[in-house]
Amino acid sequence: MPSQQSEPPDDRLARLRGPQPPQPYTARKITALTANPACARRAVLDAAGVDKALLAQQVGYEPRFGQSPFALAREQAFHGLVKWGGYAELIRLLREQLSVPVAEAHVTDLNEVGGNTALPVRERETRRLIAHVASGQDVRLILDRPVLALEVAGQTAYLEPDALTHRIEGKFHVVLIRSFAAIDGQANPTAVAEAAKQAAVYVLALRRAFDTAGLPIEQISHKFLLVCPKDFSNRPYGRLIDLRQELDALQFQLSRLRRAEDLAAGLPETATLDTTRSTDELSSSIEALDASYTPSCLSFCEMARYCRDEADGCASPARLGNGVRNDLPGIDSTRTALDYLDGVAAPGEAEVEAADLLRAAARLRRLRRGAA
Amino acid sequence: MSVLSTVAALTASRTGRAEPLTTVRHQHLDEKPFVLVPLTLAGETCAPLAALAGTDPEHPTLLTVRQPRNRAERFRFAERLAALLLAYIEGCRTETEPYTAGRGKEKEERLRFQRAPQLLLPNGEGIAYVRLLGRLTRLRATEGPYAVDPSVPALGKWLTWFAELAEFPNSGVLLAMTRLLAAHWATGQSPSEDSHLASLLAWIDPPEGSDGARVAREAEDPAVWPPAGPSTDPVFDRTLHELMTRYDEASDDRGREAVGRQIDRELSGQMLPTWRLMWRGVELLRDLPEGAHVPGRWALDRRWFSEYAEYLDADGRPQARRDQAVRAARRLARLEDAVARYEAERAYDDPLVMAEYELTGEAFTGTVTARDEDRFVPGDRPGSQVWRPTITLRTSTDTRVGLAVGTEVKSPARPGQGARILDIRQEDDGSHVVVLQLKGGFARKQKPPAPAGTLAETGEELTYTTLNPTAMPSALPDEENTPWTHGGPPQPYEPTDEDAEETWE
């Protein structure tokens, strides 16, 4: 395995980022990338470790994300509660959900390794421990905050699941601790889906680690344990969630991701994403990377409002949502569509059907609006 | 999303102004709706933080929780909201009117209230909040270790009732303003952006001389237009966090009260813009004429309201934590029927909605070119003859008719008259000639001449469709007759001590 830390001096992505330290490649970024795999812009920015929030700000778009101090405090409190008293609550849930024997409570905290908190160090230690546990040389029930590595778009991403747990029917399980509530056994489906996508990233990374170490990946469960507060209380509640669908989808999406390096190589030599450079330089470099804006980007991407204005500028149908985009097959601009409606332009052969339907709809709208 | 709304969205994106999607209003809008603008504390599950509430646009009641981590304070909020909302609900229970329930043998006369409550929230998340707040409060015990005021579970039961009906498109007791507006207007932005009340209203009702598209973008700035809730703006939360810390650390009551008032002011400032937008939305919707089926749907709401009020008086047990399988299946069947009926009623009431079905070929419009008033066909009994007049319609040249010979159709112009397609021919110019056989709707007459107005005149323009708002709902056995294979009749929900004694940390 190549060295994790040093980047070769001619690394194009690192040169694009400039002297700033790279932003870590998180599970959240990977799921976002796979949510919009066609977006070369995001692929490169994430792979180069560019601070997207800062970049957006530099080109005039203050990102509208932020975490409330209340939410942060609550999340920390809940994590603390789950791990409090020697992981008592987590062990209780493992017993309830996975029938762990009472005697099992060996825990290793991987938040640091001998005082060292560097990700590559923790990743090596995690791999070493997993190999020992998987081959039966060692016993651990819980690995707290392990670090796993995954290659994404040609870059190494370090991932930190909340916990890994082992020896439940001889299998490793990923554990995710979230502070959204499960009310009467049902949590917000969107939040659960997002957690499952992230868990799938961890499971995939775990499989790679097993693969590299020559261990059988059958030891990895395709279910993960989701821990969240029960009802309106703070009491942890856990459920196993099947990940097979998410794993298939994720593998497919990752295989489709064009290597960010190849995308970066296509940029002009002068391109830069160094956030200390001028707005003009940054804008022209960003423009050189194709974005694939959809309205859902607004909920997770720091660059979304920049891309939205760009999409408005070129009248991209996707900016009006999937409904409109689906009704305009082959027509790549709403201005063109309006021209067909006005009869000032003639649709090409591939667009005739869609344009005819639009014209029929416009005619009916005119007729029936007056009829009332 | 239909191609018609796509055209509307395209047009709006060009003009910077929203385009109407309907010609009438499809929801009942009460003279005195109860508007609720709630805020919750970030990170917690349904921790009420504040609300503006009431029926008077000029005088909202401000409810705040100065320390939401304190359980007692949360339930004091629920008590104060209950005082307002339960009084409003009680105010609807004054005069009754008789109505006929059921058909045929099971027909009976019953009474329903002439009014029903109508609760308006800013957005879909607001409806989810009502559901959660209902769940939080309806199972609370009024005695014992975590006792709450009796008004709290009462509020919870009503909020749950509202939230359950909100899923039914034909009910108007709990509505989200963004959904209401987006159902009547198309903007030049995406549906997810339309869920932002200020930006949606900017498209529909831009300030004099300005461009809706631009104002909508400006409305996204939480510093100018605070979010319509119930989630708060994280930047605002920093201010609030600081104030709440000062509130907790105040050395005396006077100091604490001073900070408390400041918290109230800040929270009120976050909600007031949304409160005003809500009433602006009400005004805009009121300007639309009401669809013909709307009063009927509201009558059904009033009936549901009366039935639930009666149930609460007689029994009063709260809704279960989760629906039992049988109840859930019945509810799903009712929901499907409600959706189909609502869609059909909307199309009958609104030519612009019907146009969506014309475009897909499920409806067509034509002009009556001929009629055969004296037509008889052989009846079921040998030798009998039944009166079945026909009319012939000719559509315009570019109309699609996607219906087959033999299809049963109806016309919004004479909904009581059934029609069957006898023949469809396409003419050389692209128009269609459709021959329809008519049955019923002749004021009970069995033979010609047709009473005036019951048979279409030549030259009349008519729309026919397969949609039928009076279609019989699918039949499920009564709850009492649930077969043992399906668990037998469902048992009523009995609240348990566990329900009331959730841990509170």
Side-chain angles (χ1 to χ4, degrees):
Chain A
M1 198 175 242
S3 157
Q4 310 285 345
Q5 272 160 313
S6 63
E7 273 158 337
D10 61 340
D11 186 326
R12 185 79 175 99
L13 288 167
R15 275 190 291 132
L16 272 172
R17 186 183 67 241
Q20 281 72 31
Q23 295 278 307
Y25 218 139
T26 60
R28 198 183 145 267
K29 282 186 188 167
I30 296 171
T31 56
L33 192 56
T34 54
N36 193 351
C39 189
R41 183 172 292 167
R42 192 177 164 105
V44 170
L45 290 176
D46 278 349
V50 173
D51 185 339
K52 292 196 296 297
L54 193 57
L55 181 67
Q57 207 176 6
Q58 295 298 85
V59 291
Y61 292 83
E62 187 81 45
R64 299 262 162 78
F65 296 108
Q67 242 191 326
S68 156
F70 300 111
L72 273 175
R74 159 86 176 185
E75 200 181 301
Q76 279 165 6
F78 187 66
H79 272 253
L81 190 78
V82 172
K83 295 181 177 181
W84 181 81
Y87 305 84
E89 288 284 4
L90 184 53
I91 292 169
R92 172 181 67 81
L93 289 176
L94 291 175
R95 285 206 193 106
E96 282 173 16
Q97 295 295 317
L98 296 160
S99 325
V100 172
V102 179
E104 293 276 354
H106 300 272
V107 177
T108 293
D109 185 347
L110 285 161
N111 277 294
E112 52 171 352
V113 180
N116 193 336
T117 56
L119 288 167
V121 176
R122 291 167 56 202
E123 195 265 338
R124 268 200 300 278
E125 179 62 12
T126 305
R127 252 191 297 137
R128 192 188 66 80
L129 256 176
I130 288 175
H132 278 232
V133 177
S135 58
Q137 294 170 38
D138 219 336
V139 183
R140 290 291 185 283
L141 178 63
I142 297 167
L143 306 183
D144 184 2
R145 215 84 180 131
V147 178
L148 301 166
L150 184 65
E151 291 281 312
V152 181
Q155 291 294 109
T156 303
Y158 290 105
L159 308 163
E160 299 178 84
D162 291 316
L164 269 178
T165 172
H166 179 244
R167 291 183 69 76
I168 299 142
E169 291 169 5
K171 280 186 194 281
F172 282 84
H173 288 78
V174 166
V175 177
L176 254 60
I177 303 167
R178 291 288 184 270
S179 57
F180 56 80
I183 309 260
D184 298 332
Q186 280 174 322
N188 177 348
T190 326
V192 175
E194 186 56 35
K197 275 196 240 165
Q198 292 193 15
V201 174
Y202 298 138
V203 169
L204 210 59
L206 197 56
R207 283 188 186 171
R208 297 279 152 90
F210 267 61
D211 237 5
T212 321
L215 294 163
I217 60 163
E218 289 71 41
Q219 282 195 34
I220 304 163
S221 173
H222 52 72
K223 287 180 180 172
F224 82 105
L225 181 69
L226 177 63
V227 178
C228 44
K230 181 171 161 42
D231 297 333
F232 301 97
S233 74
N234 251 344
R235 191 169 165 72
Y237 166 90
R239 273 290 270 287
L240 281 175
I241 295 173
D242 199 308
L243 281 175
R244 272 173 289 191
Q245 235 177 350
E246 284 79 6
L247 281 166
D248 286 347
L250 182 70
Q251 262 168 326
F252 175 67
Q253 296 289 22
L254 284 177
S255 70
R256 275 178 49 183
L257 281 179
R258 288 173 59 194
R259 285 173 64 86
E261 279 164 7
D262 298 345
L263 293 166
L267 288 173
E269 200 45 42
T270 51
T272 178
L273 299 167
D274 176 355
T275 44
T276 60
R277 303 283 277 273
S278 77
T279 307
D280 285 349
E281 280 178 287
L282 289 173
S283 297
S284 64
S285 306
I286 296 169
E287 272 165 36
L289 289 164
D290 283 337
S292 142
Y293 170 79
T294 71
S296 63
C297 297
L298 287 169
S299 61
F300 63 82
C301 186
E302 293 85 348
M303 292 296 293
R305 291 187 315 116
Y306 177 96
C307 302
R308 181 174 65 175
D309 274 4
E310 196 181 62
D312 275 348
C314 62
S316 129
R319 79 190 196 281
L320 300 182
N322 282 339
V324 170
R325 199 198 56 197
N326 293 344
D327 283 342
L328 304 178
I331 304 173
D332 58 8
S333 141
T334 54
R335 275 195 284 270
T336 313
L338 283 162
D339 285 349
Y340 297 158
L341 279 180
D342 295 344
V344 297
E349 211 174 303
E351 303 159 329
V352 167
E353 202 181 328
D356 279 354
L357 196 58
L358 285 177
R359 275 203 289 258
R363 188 187 127 260
L364 278 169
R365 261 187 73 77
R366 268 194 309 277
L367 282 172
R368 302 297 174 244
R369 273 179 74 176
Chain B
M1 196 89 186
S2 69
V3 183
L4 265 96
S5 51
T6 292
V7 169
L10 288 173
T11 313
S13 75
R14 168 156 65 188
T15 59
R17 255 199 112 101
E19 282 278 307
L21 286 174
T22 65
T23 60
V24 295
R25 167 163 46 79
H26 291 283
Q27 284 288 1
H28 170 81
L29 203 52
D30 207 56
E31 278 168 38
K32 218 180 137 189
F34 189 99
V35 171
L36 177 63
V37 176
L39 289 183
T40 57
L41 189 74
E44 309 265 329
T45 308
C46 196
L49 175 63
L52 282 181
T55 55
D56 181 352
E58 303 307 320
H59 302 101
T61 304
L62 173 70
L63 310 175
T64 61
V65 182
R66 292 167 180 179
Q67 186 37 273
R69 294 220 182 84
N70 181 330
R71 176 181 183 273
E73 282 219 35
R74 288 193 203 176
F75 285 101
R76 253 197 305 281
F77 170 92
E79 250 176 74
R80 293 177 61 203
L81 180 59
L84 292 175
L85 191 63
L86 296 180
Y88 170 70
I89 290 171
E90 206 48 48
C92 296
R93 298 180 64 176
T94 45
E95 279 163 62
T96 56
E97 63 182 21
Y99 73 99
T100 317
R103 300 183 202 215
K105 266 190 191 164
E106 309 204 330
K107 210 151 105 173
E108 59 172 308
E109 288 286 308
R110 290 194 210 156
L111 289 176
R112 71 184 161 211
F113 293 115
Q114 290 193 16
R115 293 190 55 211
Q118 184 174 47
L119 189 52
L120 300 180
L121 271 291
N123 47 34
E125 291 81 33
I127 290 181
Y129 169 83
V130 168
R131 178 188 310 281
L132 270 183
L133 190 61
R135 167 63 182 77
L136 174 68
T137 49
R138 75 173 187 261
L139 300 172
R140 302 278 71 79
T142 51
E143 45 200 33
Y146 294 108
V148 295
D149 188 86
S151 67
V152 171
L155 171 77
K157 287 175 234 176
W158 276 111
L159 290 182
T160 307
W161 176 80
F162 278 112
E164 284 185 353
L165 276 184
E167 283 178 29
F168 286 81
N170 59 345
S171 166
V173 296
L174 172 57
L175 299 169
M177 186 53 75
T178 48
R179 292 183 189 170
L180 255 178
L181 293 171
H184 293 89
W185 282 278
T187 65
Q189 63 183 4
S190 68
S192 59
E193 287 158 312
D194 280 348
S195 63
H196 190 287
L197 182 59
S199 112
L200 175 60
L201 267 168
W203 279 93
I204 298 171
D205 183 35
E208 200 78 37
S210 66
D211 172 33
R214 209 191 59 236
V215 185
R217 286 294 162 82
E218 288 161 7
E220 286 182 359
D221 185 351
V224 184
W225 284 100
S231 303
T232 49
D233 169 33
V235 178
F236 166 75
D237 277 358
R238 280 180 226 154
T239 312
L240 191 64
H241 187 256
E242 215 180 284
L243 284 172
M244 282 180 176
T245 312
R246 273 174 47 203
Y247 182 79
D248 286 342
E249 290 167 357
S251 52
D252 57 19
D253 285 353
R254 256 189 61 200
R256 182 168 299 121
E257 184 52 30
V259 184
R261 275 199 301 270
Q262 210 182 333
I263 292 177
D264 291 353
R265 260 199 311 279
E266 289 287 342
L267 286 170
S268 165
Q270 287 290 299
M271 296 180 291
L272 259 180
T274 306
W275 175 264
R276 294 197 189 105
L277 291 176
M278 287 294 286
W279 290 100
R280 180 66 193 130
V282 168
E283 275 173 21
L284 288 167
L285 287 160
R286 278 211 179 111
D287 287 346
L288 292 173
E290 192 175 66
H293 280 95
V294 174
R297 289 200 290 269
W298 186 243
L300 191 60
D301 275 330
R302 291 187 282 121
R303 172 179 164 180
W304 285 337
F305 168 62
S306 309
E307 286 171 357
Y308 191 66
E310 214 170 90
Y311 160 82
L312 279 187
D313 288 347
D315 182 308
R317 275 174 295 193
Q319 297 91 338
R321 279 169 175 246
R322 270 206 254 178
D323 253 354
Q324 287 157 313
V326 173
R327 292 256 161 85
R330 297 179 64 81
R331 188 178 155 74
L332 199 61
R334 272 176 56 213
L335 193 58
E336 279 171 7
D337 284 333
V339 171
R341 201 160 47 246
Y342 177 68
E343 292 300 322
E345 286 179 358
R346 256 167 48 94
Y348 273 55
D349 290 353
D350 191 338
L352 201 48
V353 175
M354 185 64 91
E356 293 174 12
Y357 297 92
E358 290 185 60
L359 191 65
T360 56
E362 291 162 271
F364 64 91
T365 299
T367 309
V368 180
T369 54
R371 51 180 225 165
D372 183 353
E373 188 172 354
D374 300 318
R375 182 168 169 273
F376 281 83
V377 295
D380 287 342
R381 276 177 294 119
S384 69
Q385 292 277 303
V386 290
W387 183 39
R388 293 286 181 266
T390 63
I391 53 172
T392 305
L393 261 68
R394 189 182 178 116
T395 70
S396 62
T397 51
D398 37 14
T399 302
R400 288 172 56 177
V401 182
L403 304 174
V405 169
T407 310
E408 302 281 344
V409 288
K410 279 195 169 193
S411 173
R414 292 178 186 78
Q417 189 168 68
R420 198 156 73 89
I421 300 178
L422 285 188
D423 187 33
I424 302 175
R425 271 194 331 269
Q426 188 166 13
E427 301 290 286
D428 293 339
D429 62 358
S431 68
H432 290 76
V433 173
V434 186
V435 183
L436 293 159
Q437 169 184 290
L438 305 177
K439 180 186 173 183
F442 295 109
R444 293 176 188 278
K445 289 203 55 176
Q446 304 295 325
K447 53 182 196 285
T454 56
L455 183 62
E457 302 287 336
T458 48
E460 199 176 327
E461 188 173 88
L462 288 173
T463 300
Y464 275 92
T465 172
T466 50
L467 295 169
N468 180 8
T470 54
M472 285 294 279
S474 54
L476 283 179
D478 290 337
E479 261 182 36
E480 307 81 70
N481 297 325
T482 304
W484 65 268
T485 46
H486 290 66
Q491 297 299 309
Y493 174 70
E494 282 297 341
T496 61
D497 286 349
E498 192 210 340
D499 288 344
E501 287 175 13
E502 274 163 23
T503 46
W504 294 93
E505 288 109 20

